[in-house]
Amino acid sequence: MEENWDSDGEGWDTVQAPVAASHNVGVSGSSTNRGRTRGGYTRGQGQHYNTTWRARGGHHSESRNRGNFRYDNTNRKVITISSNKVGRVIGKGGSKIRDLEYETDAKVKIGDSSGYSTEITLFGTNDAISKVESLINELVEERKPPTPKENPNNHKNAVSTATNEVSIDRNEYMMLNENGVEVIDWDKLNAACDKAQKEKWERLPKVNKNFYREDPTVSNMTPAEVSRWRLANNDIKVNRTFEEKEGLPPIPNPVITFEQAFQDYPEILKEIYKQGFKQPSPIQSQAWPILLRGDDMIGIAQTGTGKTLAFLLPALIHIDGQPTPREEREGPTVLILAPTRELALQIHKEVIKYEYRGIKSVCLYGGGDRREQIDTVAKGVDIVIATPGRLNDLTKAEHLNAINFSYIVLDEADRMLDMGFEPQIKKSLFDVRPDRQTVMTSATWPSGVRRLAQTYMKDPIQVNVGSLDLAAVHTVTQKIMFVEEDDKEHTLYEFIENMNKDEKVIIFCGKKATARHISTDLAVKGIECQALHGDRDQIDREAALEDMLEGTVNILVATDVASRGIDIKDLTHVINFDFPRQIEEYVHRVGRTGRAGKTGIALSFITRSDWAHASELIKILQEANQDVPDELQKMADRFSAMKLRKDRDGGEKRGRGGWNRRGAYY
Ligand code: AMP
């Protein structure tokens, strides 16, 4: 039992210590320190303290995430920082404060801001206060590049960054600039870092990447048979992404059965049989030979195609097949980066279904319990599934060592770039050995993703499954309903009233505020529903998904946070309450239903202001053999006529026509 700090400052109460949920793929039972970089995580007095920011804020999910905290609340110190830097101390959703408190055993309370400055009260022992104060000072001080002296590599298990590997005399890297001022000689320092990095990688044991023995039946397929098979299987297209170089092996033939891929790995086959799958999905058929052979691969495929298993099973074999025993490795072997926590959790759920030789995994995502994540890593894991921000956070804080990653997956790379994660991806991969195997999946193939492939992959083979996502919407009946903006809610409620008990629906809204309004309104009407949007805390977002997955509720009101990657089985309907801003998003939303061999219905409310999307929507409907309402065609015609008119008039209004408040042209 642990003592618990009561949020209202009324003293101590006692709660059961939460059990850290470590997510294992077959627990090996040994308590090694694999993947651990910090020599354990026991606290000063041999006690585990756990705090959550949310719990103290009187959050309505308190019962799910109750915080425990202990400090000396009579000893305090007030410091003042510039108000514009308070955000750095608080962090996203209070995450930084949680970290600070956890790292130091102090409590941090942000006070009122008086314009330019804000008071922060620090509680705890003198030692805790001084630790937290210095961490806060680090956070708020202007960021400047580290010099070699400031970043010494002084303990064996330190996470290696290029800079801290260089233990050299500071003076060696200083020079006088044209004004005679002493500055850092960055060229020289960078060269030293590169050299140190290279030496560090050279010291690592070689990576084993080839685990493939082609079955004679597969080898004997004729090129015509291979082409026919690919065409019949979602029109798979396989090619080298960049130029064909001499000496590269030919693209392997697809495997038609699980046994052809994993004949040498009966335990893997056993795991597949447990799932009851009948045959490899198209992407798996083509990806397994490529990945088992050790090639880099780009899969242009969306969720629902079996892409997770396509990269996961070769990853398990890769982990087990490395020369250094798992318990002696300096860090985890496989890294799977995903754009959102929901997707990361979903991948993790898939990963833990497969038990192979005691391989363990962890899911690291912002907003989740950081301490629990750190503890799981410290116990030793082989697979890290992470969102880019949290991964960098933990590697920077030396809780996780990236040196041993030799199989990397960038899942939904296009989405990660859309969300602005490119710098974080770069940072994550900076320390990872260059002779790794790299896999990337993406639903689309824009220039940003191409650039990423060019920078981080080696002679990748690209597997395109069907045309851009459209395969998914073929199993969905897509209906269009023309409504006035003000009638949308009424139409929605009518639909809900007529829903059957066994129907499940996601209602997509364009704005968080709309999603919030509708979910509240439904609740007021006594209709059970859940909401999923960026304003909700992680714990609530997870609960929302769980409720839908379990069928506790059958209505989810969401923003586009939920449009990609989320796999809610048995979802029967998607409602586009607001039409999405981008047509790609429409495809992703609609693809939430009609999955895994089932059919689904998508109903889109279209108002006059959506006319700019009409022609693209028509293309999608036609491609999927759906009815195209006359009104939609008229809308598209009106829009193109308006554009023509605008082009002719040189894009100027000249007193006639314009955009009304609804975004429609008059
Ligand atoms: P994913 O595309 O990875 O999100 O996978 C979607 C769903 O397909 C998951 O629930 C998988 O368990 C399932 N799945 C993966 N491979 C197969 C397969 N070969 N046959 C049937 N279902 C599969």
Side-chain angles (χ1 to χ4, degrees):
M1 301 284 261
E2 283 183 337
E3 285 167 309
N4 178 57
W5 171 247
D6 187 309
S7 56
D8 304 321
E10 286 169 16
W12 303 85
D13 65 16
T14 315
V15 293
Q16 183 74 43
V19 180
S22 77
H23 305 292
N24 301 329
V25 180
V27 182
S28 65
S30 65
S31 58
T32 64
N33 64 349
R34 279 184 290 123
R36 172 173 175 170
T37 57
R38 270 210 137 173
Y41 219 82
T42 39
R43 312 308 304 266
Q45 298 87 20
Q47 262 182 301
H48 273 275
Y49 297 130
N50 171 22
T51 180
T52 71
W53 172 250
R54 251 180 245 126
R56 290 194 313 281
H59 192 272
H60 58 276
S61 292
E62 195 171 356
S63 59
R64 287 179 193 267
N65 196 13
R66 180 94 191 193
N68 310 315
F69 203 88
R70 180 179 196 175
Y71 65 90
D72 174 4
N73 64 345
T74 54
N75 200 26
R76 65 179 70 190
K77 179 174 181 185
V78 179
I79 61 170
T80 306
I81 66 165
S82 171
S83 293
N84 60 5
K85 290 185 179 141
V86 171
R88 292 188 192 177
V89 179
I90 295 173
K92 203 172 170 193
S95 60
K96 200 76 222 173
I97 283 204
R98 279 203 297 277
D99 293 350
L100 289 168
E101 293 181 337
Y102 177 61
E103 298 280 341
T104 61
D105 282 350
K107 180 178 162 66
V108 178
K109 194 162 177 276
I110 309 286
D112 289 336
S113 162
S114 62
Y116 292 114
S117 59
T118 296
E119 284 189 348
I120 301 182
T121 312
L122 313 174
F123 303 87
T125 59
N126 288 339
D127 189 32
I129 287 178
S130 115
K131 264 196 236 162
V132 79
E133 185 178 3
S134 82
L135 285 178
I136 290 174
N137 286 338
E138 262 177 48
L139 282 175
V140 297
E141 81 184 11
E142 287 314 325
R143 279 143 198 183
K144 56 180 190 310
T147 63
K149 266 262 173 73
E150 286 165 338
N151 224 347
N153 179 28
N154 55 7
H155 68 103
K156 183 174 168 283
N157 278 333
V159 169
S160 319
T161 65
T163 337
N164 68 14
E165 281 289 316
V166 189
S167 53
I168 28 79
D169 181 1
R170 176 190 176 118
N171 296 329
E172 222 185 293
Y173 294 90
M174 302 307 283
M175 64 175 195
L176 295 180
N177 69 8
E178 63 273 23
N179 303 321
V181 178
E182 200 180 35
V183 292
I184 296 169
D185 183 345
W186 283 108
D187 288 343
K188 201 169 171 191
L189 183 60
N190 284 337
C193 288
D194 287 347
K195 188 164 163 271
Q197 183 95 313
K198 219 165 146 233
E199 284 168 5
K200 183 182 70 184
W201 286 327
E202 277 164 5
R203 282 197 298 274
L204 295 171
K206 218 173 145 288
V207 185
N208 284 348
K209 291 199 270 192
N210 192 349
F211 303 96
Y212 190 50
R213 184 165 62 85
E214 195 173 58
D215 187 276
T217 328
V218 177
S219 318
N220 291 336
M221 285 172 90
T222 63
E225 278 172 334
V226 170
S227 301
R228 263 202 309 279
W229 182 90
R230 286 182 181 146
L231 188 67
N233 282 271
N234 277 41
D235 192 14
I236 278 200
K237 301 234 174 356
V238 196
N239 55 286
R240 291 253 173 217
T241 307
F242 305 113
E243 80 277 24
E244 279 281 355
K245 284 188 207 151
E246 239 174 75
L248 290 178
I251 290 167
N253 289 346
V255 292
I256 315 299
T257 66
F258 294 120
E259 293 74 14
Q260 286 170 359
F262 302 110
Q263 53 185 331
D264 295 332
Y265 304 95
E267 291 153 81
I268 294 275
L269 280 174
K270 214 170 98 198
E271 289 303 306
I272 299 173
Y273 299 149
K274 263 206 249 168
Q275 302 299 323
F277 299 149
K278 288 196 183 67
Q279 65 190 74
S281 72
I283 186 147
Q284 291 164 357
S285 291
Q286 195 52 82
W288 283 334
I290 295 169
L291 293 177
L292 286 171
R293 197 175 75 176
D295 279 286
D296 282 7
M297 191 197 85
I298 301 167
I300 304 294
Q302 67 156 188
T303 309
T305 52
K307 68 180 168 75
T308 314
L309 209 57
F311 60 70
L312 175 67
L313 297 184
L316 298 179
I317 292 169
H318 177 104
I319 292 168
D320 194 53
Q322 296 313 309
T324 314
R326 294 215 308 273
E327 51 288 348
E328 288 170 26
R329 292 179 204 163
E330 278 185 60
T333 310
V334 168
L335 169 66
I336 303 170
L337 274 183
T340 61
R341 327 164 217 218
E342 283 79 12
L343 185 63
L345 283 165
Q346 193 171 298
I347 297 169
H348 190 229
K349 243 181 168 173
E350 194 70 12
V351 169
I352 56 177
K353 283 187 201 162
Y354 299 87
E355 234 174 81
Y356 187 62
R357 309 219 162 161
I359 287 173
K360 294 179 190 173
S361 62
V362 67
C363 189
L364 309 176
Y365 53 96
D369 187 330
R370 187 174 185 269
R371 190 195 68 140
E372 197 177 296
Q373 294 173 4
I374 291 168
D375 287 349
T376 310
V377 171
K379 281 184 200 139
V381 292
D382 307 287
I383 303 177
V384 169
I385 302 139
T387 51
R390 179 51 63 97
L391 177 81
N392 287 335
D393 166 18
L394 294 195
T395 41
K396 193 166 159 234
E398 302 182 10
H399 294 300
L400 179 67
N401 197 338
I403 189 84
N404 205 66
F405 285 133
S406 54
Y407 187 105
I408 305 273
V409 182
L410 306 175
D411 201 16
E412 298 207 355
D414 52 346
R415 187 101 204 261
M416 286 203 265
L417 296 186
D418 285 351
M419 293 173 74
F421 281 140
E422 192 164 357
Q424 280 96 327
I425 296 173
K426 277 189 181 153
K427 212 161 147 222
S428 304
L429 299 187
F430 183 74
D431 246 355
V432 179
R433 53 190 303 166
D435 56 350
R436 64 179 179 252
Q437 186 173 2
T438 311
V439 189
M440 186 157 88
T441 80
S442 184
T444 55
W445 185 234
S447 60
V449 177
R450 232 167 295 158
R451 204 174 50 239
L452 213 58
Q454 219 138 19
T455 317
Y456 295 107
M457 302 184 86
K458 201 160 168 268
D459 304 318
I461 295 175
Q462 186 160 339
V463 183
N464 289 44
V465 186
S467 57
L468 170 79
D469 280 354
L470 293 176
V473 293
H474 286 173
T475 49
V476 181
T477 307
Q478 298 168 61
K479 296 183 178 174
I480 308 293
M481 198 175 236
F482 297 93
V483 288
E484 291 293 331
E485 190 68 44
D486 297 342
D487 291 337
K488 277 182 176 178
E489 275 182 51
H490 172 70
T491 316
L492 176 70
Y493 297 142
E494 249 181 23
F495 171 89
I496 289 172
E497 272 165 25
N498 290 315
M499 268 174 75
N500 293 332
K501 273 209 312 289
D502 49 359
E503 288 178 336
K504 268 190 195 179
V505 59
I506 292 189
I507 300 160
F508 280 109
C509 304
K511 291 184 181 149
K512 290 184 267 192
T514 317
R516 218 174 11 234
H517 164 74
I518 289 178
S519 54
T520 314
D521 217 39
L522 286 174
V524 169
K525 288 184 162 65
I527 300 168
E528 278 197 48
C529 72
Q530 264 291 11
L532 188 66
H533 52 75
D535 270 357
R536 297 207 78 191
D537 285 321
Q538 177 58 17
I539 196 142
D540 298 325
R541 288 161 67 164
E542 280 169 38
L545 273 177
E546 223 162 86
D547 285 350
M548 280 297 278
L549 285 165
E550 284 169 5
T552 326
V553 300
N554 59 353
I555 301 172
L556 180 68
V557 188
T559 56
D560 280 322
V561 160
S563 74
R564 287 205 214 182
I566 298 307
D567 193 15
I568 298 173
K569 65 174 165 30
D570 305 334
L571 194 77
T572 53
H573 289 77
V574 165
I575 295 189
N576 287 317
F577 183 83
D578 295 316
F579 200 81
R581 274 184 284 269
Q582 312 243 330
I583 201 73
E584 281 85 4
E585 217 50 64
Y586 172 84
V587 178
H588 291 303
R589 288 181 181 185
V590 168
R592 292 315 94 208
T593 179
R595 301 162 77 77
K598 299 214 168 61
T599 53
I601 295 175
L603 174 62
S604 301
F605 293 170
I606 302 269
T607 67
R608 270 176 286 184
S609 62
D610 296 317
W611 67 334
H613 301 299
S615 75
E616 285 174 311
L617 181 57
I618 289 172
K619 271 190 231 151
I620 288 175
L621 295 175
Q622 283 171 337
E623 213 271 346
N625 279 333
Q626 304 285 314
D627 288 338
V628 176
D630 289 347
E631 182 53 35
L632 193 65
Q633 189 59 60
K634 283 183 198 152
M635 246 183 175
D637 294 344
R638 279 199 299 272
F639 185 74
S640 53
M642 176 279 292
K643 270 180 59 187
L644 251 167
R645 210 166 49 235
K646 249 183 100 186
D647 288 346
R648 203 183 46 226
D649 296 350
E652 294 189 17
K653 281 202 285 178
R654 299 197 183 141
R656 276 184 296 117
W659 297 95
N660 68 18
R661 276 195 306 139
R662 285 201 171 126
Y665 199 78
Y666 58 91

